Each structure stands twice: as C-alpha cells, then as structure tokens.
C-alpha cells in the first residue's frame, strides 16, 4: 500500500525560483531513494479563513506564498528507509548540506506528516 508524506510551507514570494531550484534537487533525491512521485505546488488560490487556514498553519506573512507538496512512496518501509538515509549524519550527499543547499524558507514553520491513503479514486 502506498504512503504519502505531506508538507505545507511558507516561502517568500520573491524566492519562488530559489524554492523551485532547491526542491528540484531534493525531489530528485526522493525519487532516487524510491519515491514514485513528488509534487511541489505553488499557492494560487489560498484564502484566509476565520478560524484556521493554510496561511495561519505556517504563519505566512503578506510577502509569502503557501506551498503544498507531497511525496508518494510505494510503502511506508521504503519511505522510512529513505528518511533514515537522508537524516544520517554521515550522509555526504551535497543536496543534504544546508551550507551548499540552503532552504529558501523558514524550515521551523514547515508542517509535515506521513499519511496512509484510505480512499483512492483514479480515472
């Protein structure tokens, strides 16, 4: 059964291309480690809510755009192995080096989690 990692991030709107470049490197690594699909979505219609919304969830500022991303894995075992390898302090992949590949956003405001699909409809 597939497994999904989901992310919501506030990215300075001026850093759109920096985000795309950063994501391209990380996403390539996810695919190399077994992910079957990665989507990075730039917020286009993210309304402000009264009680909660995507913007509030990541404390997005007026000059930031909300990003919604997900990674599809064939199963949780593949995802867990990939994450362990990427977070290994001995990982010498330059794409994981924050000095060589700095995040163009405040990673402390990123929200993320792993999800088991319970309904899948495809055409």
């Amino acid at each position: 059964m597939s497994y999904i990692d989901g992310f919501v991030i506030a990215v300075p709107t001026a850093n759109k291309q920096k985000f795309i470049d950063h994501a391209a490197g990380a996403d390539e690594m996810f695919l190399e480690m077994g992910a079957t699909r990665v989507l990075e979505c730039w917020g286009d219609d993210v309304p402000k809510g009264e009680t909660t919304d995507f913007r509030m969830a990541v404390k997005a500022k007026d000059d930031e755009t909300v990003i919604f991303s997900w990674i599809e894995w064939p199963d949780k075992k593949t995802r867990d192995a990939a994450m362990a390898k990427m977070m290994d302090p001995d990982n010498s992949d330059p794409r994981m080096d924050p000095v060589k590949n700095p995040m163009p956003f405040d990673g402390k405001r990123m929200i993320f989690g792993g999800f088991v699909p319970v309904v899948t409809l495809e055409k």
Side-chain angles (χ1 to χ4, degrees):
M1 173 181 279
S2 65
Y3 194 78
I4 309 295
D5 278 321
F7 307 85
V8 180
I9 311 163
V11 175
T13 303
N15 286 355
K16 182 176 182 179
Q17 190 57 52
K18 287 180 184 178
F19 172 79
I20 292 168
D21 296 342
H22 177 82
D27 295 348
E28 181 180 286
M29 190 168 37
F30 294 135
L31 292 172
E32 289 170 9
M33 294 188 180
T36 57
R37 183 174 162 194
V38 181
L39 283 91
E40 304 284 358
C41 305
W42 191 259
D44 177 66
D45 183 14
V46 184
K48 291 184 179 182
E50 291 183 30
T51 304
T52 189
D53 62 38
F54 279 113
R55 296 187 66 75
M56 282 188 256
V58 293
K59 298 183 179 179
K61 300 170 187 162
D62 289 341
D63 64 343
E64 293 178 320
T65 299
V66 175
I67 308 307
F68 179 62
S69 304
W70 67 92
I71 305 168
E72 294 180 19
W73 299 94
D75 51 48
K76 189 172 188 300
K77 181 180 176 184
T78 302
R79 179 268 206 165
D80 288 350
M83 291 300 174
K85 186 174 181 180
M86 286 189 297
M87 297 304 156
D88 182 344
D90 294 328
N91 184 351
S92 61
D93 192 315
R95 295 171 292 188
M96 291 301 295
D97 185 340
V99 174
K100 294 177 182 173
N101 191 20
M103 291 189 296
F105 54 86
D106 181 358
K108 290 179 249 166
R109 291 187 287 140
M110 174 173 62
I111 60 173
F112 57 91
F115 302 85
V116 175
V118 294
V119 175
T120 301
L121 299 175
E122 295 181 355
K123 201 166 190 181

